[in-house]
Amino acid sequence: MSGSPADRFRGAATKRALGLTAPPTATPEDQPPQTPSLPVTAGAPATRPHIVDPLTADLFTGPVAQPEPASPPSPPRQKRQSKKETSPARRTRVPVYVPGAVHARLAERTADSGETYTAVVLDAVSAHHGTLKTRYEARSTGLFVGSGRRRRTGKATTQIQLLLLPEDLETLTRLVAESGADNASVYVSDALDLFLDA
């Protein structure tokens, strides 16, 4: 294209005005440096970056959980006692036969003191079991086998009931066997006879 520089400048300006030429583009050197931005979510509050202090990073990494208070120890369970342990020992009813005169004195004694027949009999045996053993042993030292037995008088006897604990019944049975008495009725009658006379 020929012409003066002034004509070329006017021709170029006319083309730019008519939109026939693209606008000049800026070179990379002309563009200002851009700072990369983080994506922002719509509606989310802006957060500040968390800065970790290297001096305390190992000491505090989060909220410290408070230890739960220790619950008091539960009291030990009490062993439930069985029915056999709590119930009183059953007494055994033991009938014995005493002479009428001994029974009369026994009844008079219990009426005055309020004691039971069993209590008086046990006291009588406790007080005179040694005397009874000596008496029965002396009767059994005769020359003849039957010389140590008591003579039956034929007098009427009266039955009394003794309510004995298992231990007391065992003791009375042992004393009768060791003394050499004919039976428990003879042993109890002699013990009462000595005891009520005292």
Side-chain angles (χ1 to χ4, degrees), residues 7 32 46 98 117 121 138 157 159 162 175 191-193:
D7 294 336
V98 298
Y117 284 1
V121 167
T157 58
Q159 183 189 87
L162 304 180
L175 290 175
L192 286 173
D193 192 27

Side-chain angles (χ1 to χ4, degrees), residues 22-194:
T25 59
T27 61
E29 290 80 2
D30 299 333
Q31 295 179 354
Q34 298 181 359
T35 303
S37 60
L38 298 176
V40 179
T41 305
T47 58
R48 300 178 60 183
H50 177 67
I51 301 175
V52 179
D53 188 352
L55 297 179
T56 60
D58 294 336
L59 299 178
F60 304 101
T61 57
V64 179
Q66 297 295 331
E68 297 183 359
S71 57
S74 57
R77 290 186 177 181
Q78 295 183 355
K79 182 181 178 182
R80 176 179 282 180
Q81 293 183 343
S82 62
K83 201 171 185 181
K84 184 177 180 181
E85 294 176 350
T86 57
S87 59
R90 299 188 62 179
R91 297 175 182 265
T92 303
R93 189 180 299 272
V94 179
V96 294
Y97 298 87
V98 298
V102 174
H103 178 263
R105 285 184 290 166
L106 176 62
E108 183 180 357
R109 166 68 179 262
T110 56
D112 294 339
S113 63
E115 299 171 283
T116 63
Y117 284 1
T118 302
V120 176
V121 167
L122 293 181
D123 288 343
V125 172
S126 298
H128 298 287
H129 67 278
T131 303
L132 294 177
K133 184 176 181 181
T134 303
R135 176 186 295 183
Y136 297 141
E137 287 177 351
R139 289 178 181 177
S140 62
T141 56
L143 297 177
F144 301 98
V145 177
S147 61
R149 292 192 171 273
R150 291 187 60 179
R151 181 173 60 87
R152 296 183 180 273
T153 58
K155 292 182 180 180
T157 58
T158 303
Q159 183 189 87
I160 62 174
Q161 298 285 339
L162 304 180
L163 296 177
L164 300 176
L165 293 170
E167 297 84 356
D168 294 338
L169 177 57
E170 181 181 355
T171 301
L172 180 60
T173 303
R174 177 177 55 82
L175 290 175
V176 172
E178 292 177 352
S179 67
D182 293 343
N183 50 55
S185 293
V186 173
Y187 188 87
V188 169
S189 297
D190 289 343
L192 286 173
D193 192 27
L194 293 172

